[in-house]
Amino acid sequence: THTYNSLNGGPDGVNVAGGTVYAATNHAAVALSAATGRQLWSRTLTGNNHEGIDTTPGYDNGTVYVSTVPVNPAVGEYLGHAKATLWALNARTGVPEWSWDEVQNLWGKPGINSGGGQWYPPSFDAQGNIYIGVANPGPIGLTGWPRGYPWGTSRPGPDLYTDSVVKLSRHGRLLWYYQLTPHDLYDWDLQAPPLLTTANGKPVVIDGGKAGILIELNAQTGKLIWKLPVGAHSGHDNDGLLTEHAQPGSRIPLAAKFCLEPGPFGGIESQLATNGSATFAAVNNLPVPVSRNGVAESYAAFIAAISKATGEMVAVNQDTGRLAWDDKLPSSPYGAATLTNNVVFTTTYHGDLYAFNAATGAVLLKTPLSAGTNAPVTVDGDYVIAGAGVPSSSTQRPLIIAYKLGAKGKLPDTVGS
């Protein structure tokens, strides 16, 4: 155990390579001996106290990759001057090799604006090129606009490189980018780790995020091959384009109140999976009422909406960009897509573990966990391991649960299973 007094958010996580554990506090990347827990080095990466770190470090060929985010739980979220930066650090010493600014000059009014960041580690190809999914700009309207600057008018333009897939060389040079949601108004990060796979015999990049849209890009050029909305959409996918060049006080062509879907914590929240011919995505259908002043309900009502949300597990043909199958679920599958042996696993917020036939979508298994969950599963040999950490009643228990092929055990009666 190595204890840090560092208030942090998530997803977080650690990466282990060559006998070293790479992790992060809310302001620094750290390396620990995997055998003893002794800290080998620590490197502060945040530029001010409006910034933080809440992602698992990436590792490739002797370099550690860590991104800052415009969030510090001890201070606030999306406060002015909070810039996300991707750092490449020498894995042995922690010395920076290079850094890349994910949000450039913070667009119009840096004292108000912020943005970027990553939820998960980058993806790497055989040449050491780096592929990242970048999060949203700030401020966002779901928590209310700053006085005098509605609809993102403090940050006119597309707000690059937010809500984008970005390809960098191993030395940090920008090779290409594709922005899915210019001038994002609704917290629609493009945060899932990009999948590096093939379609029609050519290398491609597939990604998706909270906008509830899957995209396939040419891996060499970044050119869009196909784009597919999945899950429920209420007609506001392009609101950012309507307001991209609006000025404070100008008329905005949007209703005073409307239903937004995907809402925050909707769309694709978690990692994708591929078997080389199909991509699998867990989709969350979360509608919320929105007004010109932000979310039109209380925060408590918003959390209640999450518990009522539904979802889907979808499979998409990588060659055509068309749905192969779409299974409707009674609860949000925040448990990502985990694929092994032609079986796709996920978990739902209500607390069920699902397994689907990857070819047909047929449900092979549905079994209750000990509590609700927002965690993916992992597979190790014949074991499927799930974390159930969101108890919603006094009879539910937060547990890590291992299932094994052919096992005959059951959960304790005290958890209602």
Side-chain angles (χ1 to χ4, degrees), residues 45 63-68 84-89 95-102 104 168-174:
L45 301 179
T63 300
V64 176
Y65 297 88
V66 180
S67 174
T68 59
T85 302
L86 176 64
W87 291 87
L89 309 175
V95 173
E97 297 175 351
W98 52 263
S99 64
W100 187 75
D101 187 349
E102 299 170 29
Q104 304 303 297
L168 303 172
S169 75
R170 62 187 304 268
H171 301 295
R173 180 170 63 91
L174 177 65

Side-chain angles (χ1 to χ4, degrees), residues 402-415:
Y403 300 85
K404 185 181 181 182
L405 289 175
K408 301 185 184 303
K410 65 176 184 176
L411 296 177
D413 292 337
T414 54
V415 298

Side-chain angles (χ1 to χ4, degrees), residues 223-379:
K223 181 180 179 181
L224 179 68
I225 299 172
W226 53 254
K227 179 167 67 171
L228 178 69
V230 290
H233 292 255
S234 62
H236 291 272
D237 291 356
N238 297 314
D239 284 2
L241 296 177
L242 298 176
T243 58
E244 183 176 0
H245 302 294
Q247 299 295 316
S250 61
R251 184 179 179 276
I252 302 296
L254 292 172
K257 187 175 180 179
F258 54 89
C259 175
L260 179 68
E261 194 168 16
F265 301 129
I268 300 168
E269 290 278 344
S270 48
Q271 300 96 318
L272 311 172
T274 178
N275 62 7
S277 60
T279 292
F280 305 90
V283 184
N284 307 281
N285 297 326
L286 174 67
V288 294
V290 173
S291 76
R292 291 172 179 170
N293 297 319
V295 175
E297 295 190 30
S298 68
Y299 183 75
F302 174 53
I303 296 301
I306 296 176
S307 67
K308 298 176 183 177
T310 63
E312 305 170 32
M313 177 63 75
V314 302
V316 180
N317 183 299
Q318 293 176 185
D319 289 345
T320 65
R322 296 175 181 169
L323 278 175
W325 51 262
D326 182 349
D327 280 8
K328 310 299 183 183
L329 301 173
S331 176
S332 283
Y334 288 123
T338 298
L339 175 69
T340 184
N341 293 345
N342 200 42
V343 178
V344 182
F345 291 93
T346 196
T347 60
T348 64
Y349 191 75
H350 283 175
D352 287 307
L353 171 67
Y354 281 86
F356 308 90
N357 182 301
T360 67
V363 176
L364 305 175
L365 172 73
K366 178 188 177 184
T367 188
L369 300 166
S370 64
T373 180
N374 62 354
V377 304
T378 191
V379 176

Side-chain angles (χ1 to χ4, degrees), residues 208-226:
K210 292 168 67 178
I213 298 172
L214 286 168
I215 55 174
E216 181 176 277
L217 310 171
N218 181 294
Q220 298 302 316
T221 66
K223 181 180 179 181
L224 179 68
I225 299 172
W226 53 254

